[in-house]
Amino acid sequence: FGSRLIPPTQQLTSDLGQCKTTPIMPNPTAIFNTTMGEIQAEIYLDRVPITASNFIDLAQSGFYNGLHFHRVIPGFMNQFGCPHSKDPASRRAGTGGPADGQFKNLATGGMETRSNGGNIKDELISRDSNVPGTLSMANTGSPNSGGSQFFMNVANNSFLDHFSPGQSKHPVFGKIISGYEICEAISKVPTRNDNPVTPVKMNSVTIRM
């Protein structure tokens, strides 16, 4: 993990040789307010700071507010985050991302870049698996093709892990800590071509730091 790993404590030595221990701040919490209920998730800023900071920046800008889950599959996952899904019937839902630009890495203080259609570079450094309740980056299958879209796992999808033998490389950046039953319920709604027949809207995504 190199310099991106934040130590659990930092020891500060005074002139008198005394040591004080300063714990790290807890990870941020994302609060997903949907038309089917509320879901809360820990965002792994300490493990994948680029991916987490990208998500937090988009959420705080209001990017996700008013979008719809455009792909839900029972026993698999719920996908979300395409700007075209503001219209739940759009055939372009699932193909979009944020604008190119920059955002702040909240762990390092440096700036990161979105490019080539709002994509960030793959952050394949944490070995968190795609288990039920985790949040994971969606991509096109090509390297560095993730942007705003992500999915909530409702099954053990370890074959999607970037450290698995398969071709799929989807880094986990958070895990649901409250409202997992809502996530499961969303995955089971009636669909047409994996798109919910009755739209499931994200009213808002807020971040508690």
Side-chain angles (χ1 to χ4, degrees), residues 2 60 83 88 108 123 141 183:
Q60 291 181 328
T108 68
E123 195 172 24
C183 184

Side-chain angles (χ1 to χ4, degrees), residues 2-206:
S3 61
R4 288 179 180 164
L5 181 63
I6 302 172
T9 59
Q10 180 181 18
Q11 291 187 330
L12 303 177
T13 306
S14 70
D15 293 337
L16 298 177
Q18 296 176 329
C19 292
K20 295 182 179 180
T21 299
T22 303
I24 63 167
M25 296 295 290
N27 275 327
T29 298
I31 303 165
F32 301 93
N33 182 287
T34 82
T35 50
M36 290 184 62
E38 184 179 280
I39 301 167
Q40 296 190 18
E42 177 186 0
I43 303 302
Y44 293 158
L45 182 60
D46 60 337
R47 308 182 199 184
V48 281
I50 297 174
T51 309
S53 296
N54 172 65
F55 167 78
I56 291 168
D57 178 71
L58 292 171
Q60 291 181 328
S61 75
F63 180 90
Y64 292 119
N65 299 348
L67 303 186
H68 296 82
F69 286 88
H70 65 269
R71 183 174 178 237
V72 304
I73 302 175
F76 186 29
M77 57 91 230
N78 306 326
Q79 191 167 337
F80 173 79
C82 175
H84 301 312
S85 71
K86 186 152 281 193
D87 173 5
S90 173
R91 294 185 178 181
R92 299 175 66 197
T95 66
D100 290 354
Q102 290 188 314
F103 60 96
K104 185 176 181 179
N105 185 317
L106 298 175
T108 68
M111 298 304 293
E112 306 289 349
T113 300
R114 296 189 190 100
S115 59
N116 301 316
N119 298 325
I120 63 172
K121 55 188 176 183
D122 293 333
E123 195 172 24
L124 309 180
I125 60 174
S126 176
R127 294 180 68 86
D128 292 291
S129 185
N130 282 268
V131 298
T134 52
L135 278 54
S136 191
M137 285 295 289
N139 56 49
T140 66
S142 299
N144 306 312
S145 61
S148 58
Q149 294 188 47
F150 64 94
F151 55 93
M152 301 176 176
N153 286 295
V154 294
N156 185 348
N157 295 321
S158 59
F159 67 96
L160 299 177
D161 296 341
H162 69 83
F163 48 89
S164 72
Q167 295 297 313
S168 295
K169 308 295 179 186
H170 298 276
V172 167
F173 67 94
K175 186 168 186 178
I176 293 170
I177 56 176
S178 175
Y180 178 68
E181 69 281 2
I182 302 298
C183 184
E184 281 196 308
I186 292 172
S187 74
K188 296 175 181 178
V189 299
T191 60
R192 183 180 297 111
N193 297 322
D194 296 333
N195 186 39
V197 173
T198 299
V200 182
K201 183 179 180 179
M202 186 69 69
N203 298 316
S204 65
V205 180
T206 55

